[in-house]
Every structure is written in C-alpha cells, then in structure tokens.
Amino acid sequence: GDSVTQMEGPVTLSEEAFLTINCTYTATGYPSLFWYVQYPGEGLQLLLKATKADDKGSNKGFEATYRKETTSFHLEKGSVQVSDSAVYFCALTRSGNTGKLIFGQGTTLQVKP
Amino acid sequence: GAVVSQHPSRVICKSGTSVKIECRSLDFQATTMFWYRQFPKQSLMLMATSNEGSKATYEQGVEKDKFLINHASLTLSTLTVTSAHPEDSSFYICSARGSQETQYFGPGTRLLVL
C-alpha cells in the first residue's frame, strides 16, 4: 500500500543553519505531496504542496521538489529560525482520491538561538 | 486561513464510559471531515471519513460501533468513543475540507481513560 517515510528526529540546529528533512514515498500512480507543520499546542497547518513531478512547493522560506525518479519530496530551508521549531509531517494523497492523507511519522525540529 | 476547533482539548474519563469529541469548522462549510488518531511519537492514522448527511467510511481495522461518527451539519462532526478503555487513550485530531482540496486541522483532543 501507499506509505511515506521521513528521516527520524529530533533534528537540532543552530539558528541560521541549513535544514533538510528527508521524505520518500511509495505510491501507485501520481500522488500529490504535502508538508504539514505542527507548532506546539496547535493543529497541523499546510506548509507547502506539489501536485506533479518536478513541481516545487515553497512557503515561508521552505522548499520541496517533487522528484518522481527518486520518489522523494525533501524539505529544505536555507536559514532556520527559532520560530521554525515544530514537528514536520510529510504526506501524500493519491490522485482522484477523496482527500485521504497518508502521513509520515513526523520529524521534530528544534532550533537553538 | 480557515479555522477548525475541537472540544474538549483534553478529557479524562473512567473505563466503560463514553466520550464525545466535537469538531467544528468556524468560518467555512466542511463537506468532508476526517478523524485521525495519533499515538505518542507516531504518525497520524486516518480512522474515518465523513461526508455531511451520510454515513462515515471507516478505515480497515477501525471498529465503527466503538467510534461513532456523526456529521449532521456542514460545520460540525462528532466522534463518540463508546465504552472507552485504557487502550483507547490517545490524541484524536479532526480535519475539515470545504470546496477546495486543502484540509484544515483542529488542534486535537487528548483522551485519557483510567
């Protein structure tokens, strides 16, 4: 079945460091890919998405490129801030689906000043 | 952005009792709502999908008689955990989707069954 695998956390970085959180997926067809972020005490928020191969999603300085050849959707940010500390979830939904999301296990990011 | 609320945020109950969790879309009409369960340090697992005015569709392995879902209006869905037991203790999260594809998530409800 469809699945999403994320790198294990927690990831601890200093402010202004470069961030990469790896995400790979297994799915039939052409899924849409998402990154969600969950700040402490809050619900999940959509960070960015890509709906077809080679699309790049971007938001708030974060980027991820849909790579069909490597079935990956790695999240990157050039310079993290303390306020980026949160749990990040990679997810997919299959094309033509009712909207059911399949999530990775989540990666906790902690940014220290 | 769109806001989804959940109530209560936290509930403690005795084994054998039933607990109702509400999920509301505050500023949009949600034709579809989803209920997830999240175990500590694990991912969100979809439990069921509910469309307004129709029966919920449960994922494989989820007991529909134990987790009753009602989606009676375009802004409200409820999840009732019936005859709760300690193994039902978890973090329950709902999401709502309107006319667009994006799902908006509630802040979650932590259930502890003693």
Side-chain angles (χ1 to χ4, degrees):
Chain A
D2 297 347
S3 66
V4 177
T5 302
Q6 292 180 232
M7 66 185 286
E8 291 207 14
V11 174
T12 302
L13 296 173
S14 298
E15 207 165 19
E16 299 184 4
F18 184 85
L19 169 71
T20 300
I21 299 178
N22 291 337
C23 170
T24 56
Y25 67 91
T26 302
T28 55
Y30 301 93
S32 294
L33 302 174
F34 305 82
W35 277 101
Y36 282 84
V37 58
Q38 185 176 31
Y39 298 105
E42 298 184 18
L44 274 74
Q45 301 174 24
L46 178 63
L47 181 60
L48 53 85
K49 68 178 183 180
T51 57
K52 61 182 187 295
D54 300 327
D55 266 3
K56 178 186 283 188
S58 61
N59 185 25
K60 299 181 181 179
F62 291 90
E63 293 183 340
T65 301
Y66 189 141
R67 301 283 187 202
K68 189 173 186 298
E69 63 276 13
T70 55
T71 61
S72 65
F73 193 54
H74 304 322
L75 182 68
E76 296 182 336
K77 186 174 185 180
S79 176
V80 294
Q81 306 300 313
V82 173
S83 58
D84 293 326
S85 298
V87 182
Y88 293 81
F89 292 91
C90 185
L92 69 81
T93 184
R94 292 177 60 186
S95 58
N97 197 272
T98 56
K100 291 163 57 172
L101 284 164
I102 297 171
F103 285 90
Q105 69 268 40
T107 302
T108 299
L109 170 65
Q110 183 176 19
V111 181
K112 296 186 173 180
Chain B
V3 178
V4 175
S5 70
Q6 278 184 244
H7 178 80
S9 59
R10 189 182 188 95
V11 57
I12 300 173
C13 69
K14 292 182 179 180
S15 185
T17 60
S18 295
V19 174
K20 181 185 285 188
I21 302 170
E22 293 186 347
C23 176
R24 292 181 186 274
S25 56
L26 298 184
D27 51 3
F28 68 102
Q29 294 185 325
T31 51
T32 306
M33 287 186 167
F34 303 86
W35 286 95
Y36 297 84
R37 185 172 178 177
Q38 185 179 27
F39 292 98
K41 299 186 179 180
Q42 294 189 32
S43 185
L44 283 74
M45 300 298 295
L46 179 65
M47 299 174 66
T49 302
S50 74
N51 293 295
E52 185 265 337
S54 61
K55 289 184 178 180
T57 302
Y58 290 81
E59 295 299 299
Q60 193 172 10
V62 178
E63 299 177 60
K64 62 180 180 180
D65 293 331
K66 180 164 189 64
F67 299 99
L68 301 179
I69 291 172
N70 184 282
H71 190 167
S73 78
L74 286 171
T75 60
L76 173 65
S77 176
T78 60
L79 167 68
T80 301
V81 183
T82 61
S83 187
H85 291 286
E87 59 265 29
D88 299 323
S89 299
S90 193
F91 195 55
Y92 293 88
I93 302 173
C94 73
S95 71
R97 187 178 70 167
S99 56
Q100 305 203 5
E101 183 181 304
T102 302
Q103 288 185 38
Y104 298 94
F105 285 80
T109 297
R110 187 161 303 281
L111 170 64
L112 177 62
V113 184
L114 301 177

